Amino acid sequence: MWVVAAIASAQAVSLSSVAQSAAQTAPTGHLPYDPSGYRPPSLSLARLGQDPVPARVLAGEFDSRFEAVSGHEIWAPKRQPVWWRVTLNEDVAAVDSPQLTINRPYRREIELWRPGDDVPLRRSIYGPDTDFNHSTRMIVFPLPQGLRKGDSLYLRVLATDVLPSDVLIQPLAKVQREDMLHVGLRSVVLTAMGVVAVLAFGFWAGLRERGYAYLGLTLVLQILTLTADGGEMRVIPWLNQIAPDSRTNIVLNTAAVLASIRFLVFFLGLRTTQPKVAQILDWLSVSLGGLLLVSLFRTWKYSALYGNLNLLMVIALVLYCAAVAVWRRQREAYFLLLAWLPLMSLLVALVGAHHQWWPEYHWLEYAFPVGLAFGGLGLLLGLTSKLQQLRRDRDTANRLATYDSLTGAMTRAAISQSLRQAVESAQRSRRPLSVVFFDIDHFKRINDEHGHRVGDETLRIVSLRTRNRLRAYDLFGRYGGDEVLVVLADTFLRDAVRVAEHLRESVSGSPLSIDGRLLPVSLSLGVAELLPGETPEQLLERADAALYASKSAGRDRVTGHSPDTVREVVT
């Protein structure tokens, strides 16, 4: 498409100079083209309902059979050539380099006979008659000699759709201006969609969230559809051969709808929140998948109608499930409605216009691609917001699963997993590792005499005091009941025993103040250092044996378990 922009820009410069030269040699009484007050010349249209030999038409043999048509629109039944006669109701001067323009040129082949022409000018967006001097917004035929009132132009139109096209005669300067506006807008829209698609695939590659892949695929397929219908594919030779085929349009549009369905199911979590709607969307996906497979080989008369009816059902389901999700206050549903509601309205308008249920509005030509670009960006932001919320929920769940809500210590599962990792790392690097196992002396008596609330508060204060005596990277976990496990990396047994003694003193050194009462509490601790080749279970077993030795020796003490002396009591 950027190649088209460059060609159109170069043509604008070269042809503008021609127009300026012609304006300098214009008759004195002729006013040059004024874009602010320009009025296209009046013309009359007539249609011939058959396709005779061109020579007979040009000879005037069928003039009486042309039927007058009001307005400036021409059309043709699918794949049936139609003749049109364009008659000028006023003079058209050659000074402004007049051009006959026909908009909505997609999938049309047009031949033009000007006054005195024996051989027609042929124009189309794709194929050998492509005119690269202008953008794909319209087919342009030059009228270098100008026209006089009463002159007739003959058009032979072959189309693969039934949408009408406007026929106008405009100065070259106006055609160039519209070319530039068209190329600029299409470039911005397609670039924006491409950037959003690249971002979506980038997030998918980095985060491994398939929702981004569905969104990126949907945007890529829509870009391909827009460039096929809009004519930008003509700059690539092999695409120039397949883009005009009606199967291309059906396959790309169907694939885009399938990708958007997968995205919708993921985005709103329909498998769990609205399973019946998800099941209906699955059936529609199967239906559209069948249409896609058939269209790879051939199309049938009702292919477009069948696909568009499925699309309208998808749109209705999107609106329904989005409304339900909004009622349930799903945050992502608001993003979906804001991003897709305008786009779905445009899609309904386009489908109805294609099947002639209502007129096609000219502004849809640009409103739809702009809606696609903003819809893709809105859904990218919505998906990012959804994943951020999921990650916050996951972090909260992980935190609840990792840390004990009463003491703030790690849970048994978390401290066990951390111990296993620490042991593996210490064994690989041959660095020291020690553990401290302790519990509160006579904790059951505290619960029985003072109640479980005082017991819980005792656990909380003991955990707070002992954790404050540890290094930032030491691991501290509640192993069960009042038992606590401390993992000391890079610590030999003698240093670990010293740490354990500090932990004991932090609790027994001063009584606990609970509900206005002073409650004396003490700890019994067991310490063990990791031996070469030892497993976490064996290490904990030795630390537990040392803890049992502390209790047997009278409690309120530290016992270290070493390979040299099985039990070394430190008071």
Side-chain angles (χ1 to χ4, degrees):
M1 189 186 70
W2 293 271
V3 175
V4 177
I7 292 173
S9 300
Q11 186 68 11
V13 173
S14 60
L15 292 182
S16 293
S17 60
V18 174
Q20 291 172 2
S21 300
Q24 293 172 357
T25 59
T28 307
H30 176 77
L31 295 176
Y33 162 66
D34 178 10
S36 61
Y38 173 74
R39 180 187 65 82
S42 174
L43 49 84
S44 299
L45 295 180
R47 181 174 181 269
L48 181 63
Q50 57 190 109
D51 184 27
V53 176
R56 298 176 64 187
V57 177
L58 298 177
E61 185 176 337
F62 290 87
D63 281 355
S64 61
R65 302 185 189 183
F66 277 90
E67 299 176 357
V69 175
S70 61
H72 297 88
E73 290 185 341
I74 63 172
W75 66 92
K78 287 185 178 181
R79 300 178 181 87
Q80 296 181 20
V82 173
W83 283 83
W84 290 85
R85 185 179 64 203
V86 182
T87 304
L88 275 295
N89 298 327
E90 58 184 272
D91 292 340
V92 176
V95 65
D96 286 332
S97 299
Q99 313 286 313
L100 180 73
T101 63
I102 302 171
N103 68 351
R104 298 191 191 91
Y106 321 123
R107 297 185 177 84
R108 282 166 169 74
E109 297 175 6
I110 301 178
E111 297 175 313
L112 169 69
W113 284 266
R114 298 169 296 191
D117 282 349
D118 295 324
V119 179
L121 289 177
R122 294 182 174 87
R123 293 287 187 270
S124 63
I125 295 301
Y126 291 104
D129 300 319
T130 301
D131 179 15
F132 287 101
N133 290 325
H134 295 280
S135 73
T136 59
R137 182 177 183 271
M138 49 194 169
I139 288 177
V140 180
F141 293 97
L143 305 171
Q145 305 303 320
L147 295 167
R148 294 186 177 277
K149 181 179 179 180
D151 284 347
S152 292
L153 304 170
Y154 290 92
L155 295 170
R156 184 174 180 269
V157 181
L158 178 63
T160 58
D161 59 39
V162 295
L163 295 178
S165 296
D166 290 324
V167 176
L168 296 173
I169 295 178
Q170 306 180 75
L172 178 60
K174 180 174 175 58
V175 173
Q176 292 172 345
R177 181 173 182 271
E178 292 183 359
D179 277 345
M180 293 299 97
L181 291 174
H182 174 79
V183 170
L185 181 58
R186 295 280 292 187
S187 299
V188 169
V189 169
L190 292 175
T191 300
M193 292 178 65
V195 169
V196 175
V198 169
L199 288 174
F201 281 121
F203 288 144
W204 170 64
L207 301 176
R208 293 299 176 187
E209 294 288 353
R210 65 181 184 277
Y212 285 113
Y214 293 145
L215 177 59
L217 181 59
T218 300
L219 289 170
V220 168
L221 290 169
Q222 290 290 1
I223 290 172
L224 293 175
T225 302
L226 286 176
T227 53
D229 289 343
E232 285 85 6
M233 281 189 181
R234 65 182 183 173
V235 298
I236 303 175
W238 65 275
L239 290 178
N240 196 12
Q241 303 298 319
I242 64 172
D245 193 326
S246 59
R247 289 179 300 174
T248 303
N249 176 273
I250 294 175
V251 168
L252 289 176
N253 275 300
T254 304
V257 175
L258 285 172
S260 63
I261 290 175
R262 293 303 95 200
F263 172 78
L264 173 69
V265 171
F266 170 83
F267 188 65
L268 292 181
L270 296 183
R271 299 283 182 210
T272 55
T273 59
Q274 301 180 55
K276 291 184 178 180
V277 175
Q279 188 175 19
I280 297 174
L281 288 173
D282 288 338
W283 293 340
L284 288 173
S285 297
V286 172
S287 175
L288 289 169
L291 175 63
L292 189 150
L293 291 176
V294 171
S295 300
L296 289 174
F297 303 99
R298 60 170 300 174
T299 58
W300 52 298
K301 183 179 180 180
Y302 299 105
S303 291
L305 178 61
Y306 181 82
N308 285 329
L309 288 177
N310 277 270
L311 172 61
L312 292 177
M313 292 179 65
V314 170
I315 290 174
L317 286 172
V318 169
L319 291 175
Y320 169 77
C321 61
V324 171
V326 167
W327 182 73
R328 293 175 178 175
R329 297 185 179 180
Q330 285 183 245
R331 177 183 173 87
E332 57 270 20
Y334 295 97
F335 283 97
L336 180 68
L337 282 179
L338 288 174
W340 268 13
L341 188 58
L343 183 59
M344 289 185 290
S345 302
L346 293 171
L347 275 172
V348 172
L350 284 172
V351 169
H354 180 80
H355 295 288
Q356 297 181 304
W357 298 337
W358 48 72
E360 183 189 20
Y361 301 100
H362 290 223
W363 47 266
L364 286 173
E365 179 182 4
Y366 295 112
F368 180 64
V370 170
L372 278 174
F374 279 101
L377 180 59
L379 289 178
L380 180 67
L381 296 176
L383 185 57
T384 302
S385 175
K386 173 185 173 68
L387 293 179
Q388 286 177 341
Q389 183 61 44
L390 288 175
R391 274 167 166 63
R392 284 194 292 267
D393 294 343
R394 186 187 306 167
D395 291 343
T396 300
N398 287 339
R399 187 164 54 252
L400 292 175
T402 303
Y403 294 97
D404 177 63
S405 58
L406 174 63
T407 62
M410 298 173 71
T411 62
R412 176 167 181 162
I415 191 66
S416 298
Q417 178 64 24
S418 297
L419 173 63
R420 183 169 300 279
Q421 294 172 354
V423 167
E424 291 175 357
S425 176
Q427 297 285 18
R428 281 196 309 270
S429 60
R430 297 184 180 180
R431 300 181 67 85
L433 174 76
S434 297
V435 295
V436 177
F437 218 175
F438 71 83
D439 65 8
I440 301 174
D441 294 331
H442 304 296
F443 182 69
K444 184 178 182 303
R445 185 188 303 170
I446 295 175
N447 277 326
D448 293 341
E449 293 180 1
H450 303 284
H452 288 284
R453 198 189 66 78
V454 173
D456 288 347
E457 187 66 11
T458 300
L459 273 174
R460 189 188 67 79
I461 296 175
V462 167
S463 297
L464 179 63
R465 287 187 180 183
T466 52
R467 193 167 61 245
N468 287 340
R469 291 296 185 98
L470 298 173
R471 298 167 297 187
Y473 54 86
D474 291 332
L475 302 178
F476 183 90
R478 185 179 178 185
Y479 204 73
D482 62 322
E483 294 179 333
V484 174
L485 174 64
V486 178
V487 180
L488 305 172
D490 295 326
T491 305
F492 291 102
L493 178 64
R494 60 179 180 276
D495 298 320
V497 169
R498 190 178 302 111
V499 170
E501 182 63 21
H502 292 324
L503 299 180
R504 187 191 66 80
E505 291 175 352
S506 69
V507 175
S508 60
S510 60
L512 279 57
S513 176
I514 302 175
D515 292 342
R517 292 174 294 182
L518 295 179
L519 187 66
V521 175
S522 63
L523 302 180
S524 295
L525 304 95
V527 185
E529 181 183 350
L530 180 67
L531 300 177
E534 192 173 31
T535 65
E537 292 77 14
Q538 292 169 335
L539 175 62
L540 284 179
E541 186 178 346
R542 291 196 298 113
D544 187 56
L547 170 61
Y548 182 77
S550 292
K551 289 184 175 294
S552 298
R555 294 183 170 82
D556 192 18
R557 66 192 62 225
V558 175
T559 300
H561 193 292
S562 70
D564 299 328
T565 57
V566 176
R567 291 183 180 85
E568 173 187 338
V569 180
V570 179
T571 308

